[in-house]
């Protein structure tokens, strides 16, 4: 019973507290807070407003730049109710944090400042109301909204207070009866159970009244505040998605640049191969012409020899004599041809052919009798030997075999122990068998 007495006493004291009202100065301060937040959201370049401290509209206006002064015109065109002196703090927060920003005069970007305005005005202090004027006009109590389809309308604040006073009177009467029944013999042993049940029911009724009053004050779902919060969350998700896409684009750009570099490198190598191929074709054509010239010289020499033999005078015919014994037929010795070849490339082809030694280019001497097959060895000329020993991998590896090419570092001479074999194919000389060399 003491518990229910305490509840009723606290509720009565809460109902007796004075409400808070809004003064002109507090209304101007709330207006300045709303205007500053609206201007900050309406223009992305108004970051300087974060450092502006203003308690009134006149103080705020003096610190604004031209762009914000232009945006403030739309803010000032919204009409403000004149009965704010009768508002409490909740009505002040509700108006500036929600109702004001529903005006079509305001920009959509600036309306996003609702949450900040509610938070800052909710932290303000509101003064006590001024004394009421004499004989105020009666104000009709607002209609209570139904809690559910099957429940009756909730009472007003005065009705709740009157009902609580009746409940308190009934509670006192119950307590008095309980005390009297405790002082006298009980007429029925279960009377105290009924008293306890009745007290519990009274507490439940009080709780339902308080719960219904709180329920009426709650904001319905889908309010501008919740919508603004949802929009802020969506914007945050959008910013994160854009950031991820930017990272993917940057990675793709890096891969494209790397592919372009690889393509440029391949193009450069292709050009180098084309240049080398052209050089080989030129050398092949030079060798073909040289071979044709040598064949022409050989045919001319043979023709000249035949002409000289035909021009010799015939000796007089001797008298018949016994036929001499037949002499063995002697073939004419073939003419030896000499070519000076350059280094051997990776395909086993001599990259150069000359009629005489060309220092810096010549490496081998080729001897051939028919212009098709020949033998080759390293030229024994000091300039050629020095060039080959300076870089044996480049000048000797392709056409020679040696026990250790590293021995060339301290050598002064190159000895060809076994000559190599080369063949003339498709207009150029090609290695069939490498020559065997040693270094001294």
């Amino acid at each position: 019973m003491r518990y229910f007495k305490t509840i009723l006493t606290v509720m009565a004291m809460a109902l007796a507290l004075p409400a808070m009202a809004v003064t002109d100065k507090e209304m101007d301060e709330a207006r300045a807070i709303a205007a500053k937040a609206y201007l900050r959201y309406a223009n992305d370049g108004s970051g300087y407003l974060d450092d502006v401290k203003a308690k009134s509209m006149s103080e705020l206006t003096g610190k604004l730049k031209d762009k914000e002064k232009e945006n403030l015109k739309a803010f000032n065109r919204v009409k403000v109710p004149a009965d704010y002196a009768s508002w409490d703090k909740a009505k002040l927060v509700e108006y500036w944090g929600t109702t004001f920003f529903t005006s079509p005069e305001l920009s959509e970007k600036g309306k996003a400042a609702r949450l900040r305005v509610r938070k800052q005005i909710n932290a303000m202090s509101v003064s006590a109301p001024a004394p009421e004027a004499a004989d105020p006009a009666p104000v009709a109590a607002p209609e209570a909204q139904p809690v559910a389809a099957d429940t009756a309308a909730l009472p007003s604040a005065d009705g709740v207070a009157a009902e609580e006073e009746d409940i308190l009177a009934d509670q006192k009467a119950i307590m008095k009866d309980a005390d009297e029944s405790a002082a006298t013999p009980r007429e029925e042993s279960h009377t105290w159970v009924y008293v306890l049940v009745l007290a519990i029911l009274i507490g439940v009724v009080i709780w339902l009244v308080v719960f219904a009053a709180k329920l009426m004050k709650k904001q319905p779902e889908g309010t501008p505040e919740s919508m603004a919060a949802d929009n802020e969350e969506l914007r945050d998700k959008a910013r994160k998605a854009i950031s991820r896409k930017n990272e993917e684009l940057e990675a793709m750009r890096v891969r494209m640049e790397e592919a372009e570099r690889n393509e440029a490198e391949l193009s450069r190598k292709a050009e180098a191969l084309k240049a080398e191929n052209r050089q080989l074709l030129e050398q092949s054509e030079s060798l073909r012409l040289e071979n044709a010239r040598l064949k022409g010289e050989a045919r001319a020499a043979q023709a000249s020899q035949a002409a000289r033999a035909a021009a010799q005078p015939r000796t007089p015919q001797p008298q018949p004599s016994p036929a001499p014994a037949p002499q063995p037929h002697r073939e004419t010795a073939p003419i030896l041809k000499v070519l000076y070849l350059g280094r051997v490339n990776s395909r086993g082809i001599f990259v150069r052919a000359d009629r005489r030694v060309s220092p810096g280019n010549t490496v081998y001497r080729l001897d051939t009798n028919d212009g098709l097959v020949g033998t080759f060895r390293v030229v024994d000329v000091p300039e050629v030997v020095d060039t080959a020993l300076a870089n044996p991998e480049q000048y000797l590896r392709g056409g020679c075999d040696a026990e250790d090419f590293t021995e060339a570092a301290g050598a002064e001479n190159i000895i060809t122990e076994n000559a190599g074999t080369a063949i003339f194919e498709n207009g150029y000389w090609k290695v069939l068998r490498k020559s065997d060399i040693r270094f001294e």
Side-chain angles (χ1 to χ4, degrees), residues 38-147:
Y38 170 78
L39 296 175
R40 180 66 181 89
Y41 276 78
N43 180 20
D44 295 336
S46 60
Y48 71 93
L49 288 176
D50 295 337
D51 299 326
V52 172
K53 308 296 182 183
K55 292 288 186 177
S56 65
M57 286 298 295
S58 59
E59 185 178 356
L60 175 64
T61 304
K63 299 178 180 180
L64 297 180
K65 295 182 178 180
D66 294 339
K67 179 63 177 178
E68 279 60 59
K69 289 181 179 179
E70 183 66 24
N71 292 336
L72 187 63
K73 294 179 181 179
F75 183 90
N76 291 331
R77 282 197 295 267
V78 181
K79 294 183 179 181
V80 180
D83 60 343
Y84 57 83
S86 62
W87 292 359
D88 57 4
K89 184 176 181 180
K91 185 63 177 294
L92 181 69
V93 173
E94 178 66 20
Y95 175 76
W96 286 111
T98 302
T99 306
F100 179 82
F101 286 98
T102 60
S103 174
E105 299 285 344
L106 304 178
S107 69
E108 293 300 325
K109 291 178 62 177
K111 291 181 180 181
R114 291 188 295 264
L115 294 179
R116 177 180 290 190
V117 172
R118 289 184 67 89
K119 181 178 179 181
Q120 294 182 2
I121 295 181
N122 197 38
M124 288 177 53
S125 299
V126 178
S127 304
E132 295 183 359
D135 299 328
V139 179
E143 294 182 5
Q145 299 294 330
V147 176

Side-chain angles (χ1 to χ4, degrees), residues 303-356:
S304 176
Q305 184 179 4
R308 285 196 303 269
Q312 291 180 357
R314 295 183 179 181
T315 57
Q317 293 294 331
Q319 295 296 324
S321 59
Q327 298 293 327
H329 177 71
R330 294 182 181 179
E331 296 181 356
T332 304
I335 300 174
L336 182 65
K337 302 172 185 176
V338 178
L339 292 175
Y340 294 94
L341 307 177
R343 63 181 181 85
V344 180
N345 64 15
S346 59
R347 294 186 293 172
I349 298 172
F350 293 92
V351 299
R352 187 183 180 93
D354 297 290
R355 296 293 295 174
R356 57 185 59 84

Side-chain angles (χ1 to χ4, degrees), residues 12 24 38 74 123-124 149 190 192 208 231 248 319 327 406:
D24 294 341
Y38 170 78
M124 288 177 53
H190 298 289
W192 65 274
L208 288 174
N231 292 337
E248 294 176 1
Q319 295 296 324
Q327 298 293 327
T406 60

Side-chain angles (χ1 to χ4, degrees), residues 384-435:
V384 174
V385 172
D386 293 341
T387 302
L389 290 176
N391 194 345
E393 290 291 333
Q394 178 181 357
Y395 291 100
L396 300 175
R397 174 73 73 177
C400 302
D401 285 331
E403 291 184 1
D404 189 359
F405 279 96
T406 60
E407 295 178 356
E412 297 180 356
N413 197 9
I414 302 173
I415 306 300
T416 302
E417 295 184 336
N418 294 310
T421 304
I423 186 173
F424 190 76
E425 288 182 349
N426 299 326
Y428 51 81
W429 287 96
K430 184 175 181 180
V431 175
L432 285 179
R433 181 178 59 82
K434 294 182 180 180
S435 64

